[in-house]
Amino acid sequence: MSTIELTNLTKQFGALTAVNAIDLDVGAGEVVCLLGPSGCGKTTTLRMIAGLESATSGEVRIGGQRVNELSPRARNVSMVFQFYALYPTLSVAENLAYPLHAERLPPPEIAVRVRRVSEILHLDEVQHRLPGQLAEGEKQRVAVGRAIIRDPSCFLFDEPLSRLDVQLRETMRGQIKEVLAGLSRATVIVTHDQLEALTMADRIAVMRDGRIEQFASPHDIFARPANLFVAGFIGTPQMNLLPATFIGRDGGTGRFRAGGQEVAMAIDGAALSADDPVTLGVRPRSLHLVSEARADTLSAVVDLIEPMGAETLLHLVDGGQALRVVVDHRSEPAVGERVHVAFRPEQTHVFDRLERRMT
Ligand code: ATP
C-alpha cells in the first residue's frame, strides 16, 4: 500500500528549527501539496521523506513501514525536481528507459513501459529527439515520465512547474493530475504557488515557520481558513482583514465597530463579549456595492481602480481602513466617489485575538 505518514517530524539545522514537530498523512492515490512562503520548511520536509535529509526527531513511514534508517534508494521513492536533469546525449526514449536499465529489467519489458509512458504523456512524436531539441513543456513531461516509469512507493515533486510559463503551467497542472490519478500512489508536491496547490491537491498542508497551520481540502482551506495566516495567504485578491471590536449581538447577528463605523455580521454561536478585539475577514468577491448605507454595510471612498478583465478591483479607504472589492467592470464607480459595501453574511469570518477563526 502506497502511503506516507509523518509523525512529530522535526529538523534542526544548528539553532534553526526548519521543520517543527509536524504530523501529516498521505493516503494511497492521494495528492498532498505543501504550500507556504519561502523558507517555511516545505523542501526540507520533502527531503526528509525522500531520505536526502535525516530527521532530527520524529518518524517517517512509507507504506506503513518506518524508513528513517533507510537510504533514499531503499525507500524507493520517485522524485521530480524543479531543475529536471535529463541526460543531454540520450534521446527521450533512452532518458525514459534509464531508471529501468539501472533496475536491470529485461529489454522487452523496458520497451513496453517506455511505449506506455510515452503514450500517457504524449511524447510519442519526440521519442528520438535529444533534450536540447525539446520545448520546456516536453522536457518537463520527460522528467515526469522518468519518475512514473518505475514502480515507486510514492512520488515527490519539488516545485515541478515553476520554470514553465503561465500557459504551459496550466496545461501541465491538468496533465500531471490526470497521470497521478491513474497511479494509486501517495504523492507530495511542494509549491509556493497557491493556484497550483488549489488545482492539483486533494489536500493542502499550509506551512509557516516549520509548522503546519492547516491541513485540509482545497475547498476547506479557502472557505474555512483555520486562522488569520491561512486566510491572508490563500486567495487572490487577498481577503480583507479588518481590525474591529465586538459591540453586542442580536440573535445570530453581531454588531462590530470597524474604523469609525458600525457594521452587522452573522456570528452564529461565536462566544464573544462586549469590547472583544477581533478581525473581520471577508473576501473581495464576497462584498458588493449597494445604493445606500444599511446596518450591514460599510462606507468608503474609491481610492484606486484596478481593471482585471471582466472584473474590476476597487481599492477603497475610510479613515485608516482599506477595503478591496471586486465588481463587474460595467458597474464600476469613479475615483473619489463614496460607496456603500454590503457583506454576504455566509461568506464572512470572525477571528479572535489569538488569530483563530471563530465563524
Ligand atoms: P523555498 O520555497 O524558498 O524553497 P522552503 O519552504 O522549501 O523554501 P526550506 O528549503 O525547507 O524552505 O528551508 C527551511 C529553512 O531551513 C530555511 O530557513 C532555510 O534557510 C533553512 N535550511 C534549509 N536547508 C538548510 C541547510 N542545509 N543548512 C542550514 N539551513 C538550511
Side-chain angles (χ1 to χ4, degrees), residues 128-336:
H128 304 293
R129 289 207 211 148
L130 296 174
Q133 300 166 320
L134 299 176
E136 287 301 304
E138 290 165 339
K139 281 188 209 166
Q140 182 61 349
R141 292 211 295 275
V142 179
V144 172
R146 275 213 329 214
I148 66 172
I149 202 159
R150 294 196 300 118
D151 190 18
S153 55
C154 56
F155 294 112
L156 307 176
F157 290 80
D158 191 0
E159 302 271 3
L161 307 178
S162 58
R163 291 216 314 188
L164 305 179
D165 66 41
V166 175
Q167 212 171 357
L168 205 49
R169 267 188 203 201
E170 209 169 294
T171 325
M172 286 297 295
R173 279 204 297 266
Q175 286 178 351
I176 293 182
K177 191 171 178 176
E178 204 179 305
V179 168
L180 291 176
L183 298 173
S184 309
R185 290 285 177 277
T187 300
V188 179
I189 301 178
V190 159
T191 181
H192 64 267
D193 179 344
Q194 52 168 291
L195 203 58
E196 207 163 292
L198 289 166
T199 54
M200 292 179 79
D202 296 307
R203 282 189 294 169
I204 299 174
V206 181
M207 293 185 70
R208 172 170 63 160
D209 296 339
R211 291 186 181 275
I212 293 178
E213 295 281 325
Q214 188 171 7
F215 183 35
S217 70
H219 179 264
D220 273 2
I221 296 261
F222 186 82
R224 286 184 281 279
N227 55 39
L228 268 187
F229 174 76
V230 177
F233 190 73
I234 301 282
T236 6
Q238 202 188 15
M239 185 185 279
N240 292 293
L241 298 170
L242 311 172
T245 310
F246 181 65
I247 300 172
R249 72 171 69 228
D250 192 3
T253 305
R255 285 183 294 117
F256 298 89
R257 180 166 300 285
Q261 304 184 50
E262 218 181 284
V263 65
M265 272 177 55
I267 51 167
D268 302 325
L272 284 161
S273 311
D275 296 330
D276 276 353
V278 294
T279 304
L280 306 179
V282 54
R283 296 204 182 275
R285 284 191 179 80
S286 304
L287 291 168
H288 60 285
L289 301 186
V290 291
S291 55
E292 51 194 39
R294 312 187 308 223
D296 65 341
T297 59
L298 285 175
S299 300
V301 173
V302 181
D303 187 45
L304 186 77
I305 293 179
E306 207 177 312
M308 303 194 302
E311 297 176 318
T312 298
L313 177 61
L314 303 179
H315 296 262
L316 313 177
V317 285
D318 180 68
Q321 193 96 281
L323 201 59
R324 292 175 298 279
V325 185
V326 172
V327 296
D328 189 300
H329 84 105
R330 287 163 303 189
S331 58
E332 71 187 41
V335 171

Side-chain angles (χ1 to χ4, degrees), residues 13 16 18-19 36-45 53 159 190 192:
F13 294 109
L16 175 85
V19 176
S38 186
C40 69
K42 307 180 294 290
T43 300
T44 304
T45 302
E53 204 75 76
E159 302 271 3
V190 159
H192 64 267

